[in-house]
Amino acid sequence: MALTKTQTPIQTKPTRGETRDESSVSARSHSRVRGLLASIESLAPSRALMLICLLSFLAYANSLGGDFVFDDTEQVVTNKDIRSWSNLTKGFTTHVWAFRAQEHNLQAPLPYYRPIFTAMLTVEYQVFGLWPQGWHLVSVLLHTLSSVGVLYVLLLISRRMLVALFAAALFAVHPVHAESVSWISGMTDPLFGAFFLSSFYFYLKSRSENARAEKGTRSAVFVSRGAFVLSLALFLAACFSKETALSLVLLVFGYELAETPGKFIARVSQAARGALPYAATALLYLVPRYLALGELMWKNPQAPDRPVAHTLLTLPFVVCSYLFHLAWPSNLSIAYDTQFVTTAASPMFVLPTIVLSLGVIALIAFRKRVSRKVWVSLLMIFVPLLPVLKLGQVSREEYLVFDHYLYLSVAGAAYLVAIGLARLGGLDNLQKLTAQPEIRRAKLSFAAIVVLLLIGIVGTAQENRPWANSYELWSNAARIRPSYWAAHYNAGLALIDAGRYAEAHEALARAAGIKPDEAVVFDALGRASENAGDGAEAENSFRRALDLDPGLFESLNNLGTLYFIRQDYASAEQSFVAALKVRPEAAAVRFNLGMCSARQGRYAEAAREFERVTRAGPDAEACYELALAYEKLGRLDDARRTLTNGRELTRDQNLVARIDERLSRIRNETGAP
């Protein structure tokens, strides 16, 4: 029997750099990555909603400490209309800035027709008064609602929780929203955005239910009709919040065009049928808008006549500016000191046109490789921008670009980033994530999303800071655009209001150096000098302002006040008379004129001026001075009656004490009770 040979088994060595333990660890790591991504993909919408709410509040928490700035001063602080509940209905019959024309006889900016926004101002004033933190909280809540709307809309479009959640999270923390959320008057964007996105969501829902109904699901018919009616109602609410919502008609048309299969003509016909109900609903907004605004429906009364060519030449620059701010939302400002492009040879026309042309050429050349999702994201970026590209209606060319116009466009940009990272990371099909290189790509893609969210939160907190108060807002604009005179000018005004007169003088001097022909700058310089105690320089500044603009109301009144303080009543009277020729309804100036007459012993003239002031509106101080004039004229009964009326109008204890002292004296003289 032959002997069998034995052989020692050969030990297979692991490859260099990889042990069995390492391989096991790697497998567990891969399993955890797949598990995490699968958990996000299967996440319930309610939990995803909580995450979006948390991110929104994290990004905008520091905006809650802000004050009223920019338009807030007029829209909220000095707006008497919002102090009455009757303003709820008034908003449907007039424009947003009507109160400005009524109170100050000033020409209003573009007469926006936004009844729901007006109603929001009224309700918030009744609830919060002039407590700015309450107003800011409402803005954050509205932005949170819009962010949730982005989540649900993209969930229907992409049918992927992973993509929808990433995009909605990016939308929630995008720094370019700082202007819309941290600025109280900017709440028109999250306000109309919440209605707009809700309307689009129910449109998408009705569309999907229609598809189910075609397959024989009867219940889907009722759901579809209900969702469609609700979509139209929410669209109407969005329009009444802000006119930009009209762009939903084009968005529905574009979405139908992208989603409908078949030949182009048939697709266009189907898209038109889909958008037609929204166009018809838009008339329910446009008709009352026309009745309220008349011929000013689309025209800004303050916009100068500009050649159409200037608008066309400027459009590429404006569009590229918006795209740049979407991609790089840093060093944002309330104003960018922009200007109209007036020649095709300008680099501001040539370079943006080249960039946009290359983008369009690339889309056309690779159109067959561009997915439906990309086309939809581009629609969501550009369609909401279309209404704000009517540059010819801009009052001042320095305000060609406003970041709050990008509010809804961020949703499209965030969707584009989310689908791009999902594609690059191989997240389109989680079941295929098996090999190590694929897992590594998935990790990098997920890490990129986390990093972008962290950058967004930090960046948004940074961009919120300038909106804390007026000085921070305009000093930030001056830092970003140091050659912009109005930024230094507005920073100087804020410093005057804060009592920092030396700093105000420095800021206004910089503005005067940039814009030496601007009368309002020298008027502000005069105010800063006067408050700092330098009357001579103040007079020189007011006179310089009047040399540049002889009809500048503020300088005429301020110069008169300066003369009055010096007891040069004749010169003061001359200035006040000139100011009243410019603005006859100015009660404060008429009061000043009455004081001049009284100081010069012309009590009959003083009484006439004070009587006109009290007829214009309740004014306790005017009543007191009118009573003094009556007393000098021997009209003691009229003086006593006027003092009594004045006492009822004021809560100022100093004025009450003066009135009581004068009443006591008159009663002693007349023996009246």
Side-chain angles (χ1 to χ4, degrees):
M1 184 174 178
L3 296 174
T4 58
K5 296 180 179 179
T6 61
Q7 184 176 349
T8 303
I10 298 174
Q11 298 287 335
T12 302
K13 294 182 179 181
T15 58
R16 186 176 183 180
E18 180 184 348
T19 66
R20 290 179 180 176
D21 288 340
E22 289 172 340
S23 178
S24 176
V25 169
S26 178
R28 288 197 299 270
S29 175
H30 295 175
S31 178
R32 283 196 297 269
V33 171
R34 285 194 298 270
L36 174 62
L37 294 174
S39 297
I40 296 175
E41 192 67 83
S42 60
L43 196 65
S46 58
R47 294 192 175 183
L49 183 152
M50 292 174 62
L51 178 59
I52 296 302
C53 292
L54 176 62
L55 289 173
S56 298
F57 273 91
L58 277 176
Y60 287 96
N62 66 330
S63 73
L64 298 176
D67 204 347
F68 297 106
V69 297
F70 201 32
D71 287 348
D72 300 343
T73 305
E74 290 187 272
Q75 288 279 7
V76 178
V77 179
T78 62
N79 186 355
K80 295 179 181 178
D81 285 3
I82 65 173
R83 301 176 187 182
S84 170
W85 285 109
S86 64
N87 201 47
L88 292 175
T89 56
K90 187 184 296 184
F92 287 88
T93 59
T94 186
H95 61 83
V96 168
W97 288 100
F99 70 91
R100 189 172 186 260
Q102 294 166 0
E103 293 182 6
H104 308 293
N105 197 31
L106 298 176
Q107 195 174 36
L110 184 61
Y112 301 116
Y113 182 68
R114 301 169 179 174
I116 292 182
F117 169 62
T118 301
M120 283 291 295
L121 293 177
T122 305
V123 172
E124 287 189 64
Y125 182 83
Q126 304 304 320
V127 175
F128 303 118
L130 295 179
W131 182 52
Q133 281 63 53
W135 293 76
H136 282 293
L137 179 61
V138 170
S139 294
V140 175
L141 290 173
L142 288 171
H143 174 63
T144 304
L145 284 175
S146 293
S147 301
V148 170
V150 172
L151 172 69
Y152 278 91
V153 164
L154 294 183
L155 194 56
L156 281 181
I157 292 176
S158 67
R159 299 179 179 87
R160 296 283 310 281
M161 173 57 79
L162 197 65
V163 170
L165 181 59
F166 284 172
L170 288 173
F171 177 88
V173 303
H174 200 289
V176 85
H177 290 324
E179 188 170 303
S180 298
V181 183
S182 298
W183 176 31
I184 290 172
S185 295
M187 74 170 172
T188 52
D189 299 294
L191 175 63
F192 103 86
F195 287 121
F196 185 101
L197 291 162
S198 300
S199 175
F200 194 46
Y201 168 79
F202 284 106
Y203 151 74
L204 294 170
K205 191 171 182 64
S206 70
R207 197 176 187 278
S208 63
E209 294 296 337
N210 265 335
R212 289 179 57 197
E214 291 174 0
K215 296 178 181 179
T217 308
R218 181 175 298 180
S219 62
V221 176
F222 298 101
V223 175
S224 172
R225 289 176 180 173
F228 185 67
V229 171
L230 187 54
S231 174
L232 294 178
L234 289 166
F235 169 56
L236 188 60
C239 291
F240 279 116
S241 300
K242 189 174 182 179
E243 56 283 338
T244 311
L246 292 169
S247 62
L248 183 63
V249 179
L250 289 177
L251 183 59
V252 169
F253 178 86
Y255 187 82
E256 289 286 347
L257 193 63
E259 290 290 320
T260 304
K263 295 183 178 180
F264 181 73
I265 298 299
R267 290 165 56 204
V268 170
S269 177
Q270 175 64 29
R273 286 197 296 272
L276 185 60
Y278 292 88
T281 303
L283 292 176
L284 298 178
Y285 162 75
L286 293 173
V287 169
R289 176 188 171 96
Y290 175 77
L291 294 175
L293 304 183
E295 62 181 12
L296 295 178
M297 184 169 176
W298 304 111
K299 182 176 175 57
N300 181 356
Q302 291 187 350
D305 291 330
R306 298 186 179 100
V308 176
H310 290 182
T311 295
L312 298 177
L313 290 170
T314 309
L315 277 174
F317 165 76
V318 170
V319 172
C320 281
S321 296
Y322 282 131
L323 294 178
F324 179 76
H325 291 182
L326 275 177
W328 191 260
S330 179
N331 279 330
L332 304 177
S333 173
I334 182 61
Y336 294 100
D337 192 21
T338 51
Q339 296 176 347
F340 274 92
V341 180
T342 58
T343 172
S346 170
M348 290 180 63
F349 172 75
V350 175
L351 296 179
T353 301
I354 291 174
V355 171
L356 294 177
S357 298
L358 290 175
V360 171
I361 291 170
L363 285 173
I364 294 174
F366 299 100
R367 63 187 181 278
K368 293 183 179 179
R369 298 175 60 183
V370 177
S371 69
R372 174 192 62 84
K373 296 177 182 178
V374 172
W375 286 117
V376 171
S377 66
L378 293 175
L379 274 173
M380 294 176 69
I381 291 172
F382 287 102
V383 167
L385 271 179
L386 293 177
V388 303
L389 296 180
K390 193 180 179 183
L391 304 180
Q393 293 302 307
V394 175
S395 301
R396 297 175 61 173
E397 60 182 354
E398 295 93 340
Y399 294 140
L400 289 175
V401 175
F402 272 118
D403 289 325
H404 67 271
Y405 290 153
L406 283 170
Y407 189 75
L408 279 183
S409 296
V410 175
Y415 183 39
L416 188 61
V417 171
I419 59 180
L421 288 174
R423 180 70 179 272
L424 292 173
L427 306 181
D428 292 331
N429 190 342
L430 300 183
Q431 300 300 322
K432 293 183 178 180
L433 292 179
T434 56
Q436 185 172 351
E438 293 169 344
I439 293 292
R440 186 178 295 114
R441 286 170 52 200
K443 287 181 179 179
L444 290 174
S445 181
F446 187 77
I449 286 290
V450 173
V451 169
L452 284 175
L453 291 178
L454 291 175
I455 291 174
I457 292 172
V458 174
T460 298
Q462 181 68 28
E463 296 300 333
N464 290 337
R465 290 178 182 175
W467 294 92
N469 56 66
S470 295
Y471 172 67
E472 294 294 336
L473 181 65
W474 288 107
S475 62
N476 177 68
R479 177 183 61 83
I480 292 171
R481 292 291 187 273
S483 62
Y484 183 30
W485 71 270
H488 299 286
Y489 166 71
N490 285 307
L493 293 182
L495 288 167
I496 290 175
D497 292 338
R500 297 158 61 181
Y501 304 121
E503 296 172 75
H505 195 279
E506 291 179 10
L508 293 166
R510 285 194 291 271
I514 299 169
K515 190 77 169 174
D517 59 344
E518 188 62 51
V520 295
V521 174
F522 290 95
D523 177 73
L525 267 171
R527 289 171 53 201
S529 298
E530 182 180 4
N531 283 295
D534 192 342
E537 185 174 350
E539 181 178 358
N540 290 335
S541 295
F542 291 141
R543 288 193 174 279
R544 175 68 185 277
L546 291 171
D547 287 340
L548 294 170
D549 183 0
L552 185 61
F553 169 81
E554 290 79 8
S555 288
L556 289 168
N557 183 56
N558 291 335
L559 187 60
T561 303
L562 185 65
Y563 287 143
F564 186 90
I565 293 172
R566 293 177 180 175
Q567 299 183 4
D568 184 357
Y569 302 122
S571 297
E573 181 178 1
Q574 186 178 3
S575 292
F576 292 140
V577 168
L580 285 171
K581 289 180 180 178
V582 177
R583 201 175 295 175
E585 78 292 343
V589 180
R590 195 163 295 283
F591 176 87
N592 293 341
L593 182 59
M595 293 294 291
C596 286
S597 298
R599 291 295 187 273
Q600 296 177 83
R602 305 200 310 269
Y603 299 111
E605 295 177 30
R608 284 197 298 270
E609 299 299 339
F610 292 136
E611 285 170 351
R612 295 183 65 174
V613 174
T614 56
R615 285 197 297 268
D619 190 321
E621 188 70 37
C623 287
Y624 177 75
E625 295 294 341
L626 176 59
L628 294 185
Y630 283 154
E631 187 178 358
K632 291 291 185 180
L633 294 170
R635 299 167 58 181
L636 299 183
D637 289 340
D638 290 334
R640 185 175 62 252
R641 173 180 49 79
T642 305
L643 286 169
T644 302
N645 291 339
R647 197 182 194 287
E648 294 174 354
L649 294 174
T650 185
R651 295 180 181 178
D652 183 343
Q653 293 305 310
N654 290 329
L655 182 57
V656 168
R658 284 189 287 153
I659 290 175
D660 287 345
E661 187 274 333
R662 186 62 60 176
L663 274 172
S664 176
R665 180 182 300 180
I666 292 175
R667 286 166 180 160
N668 289 336
E669 291 180 6
T670 60

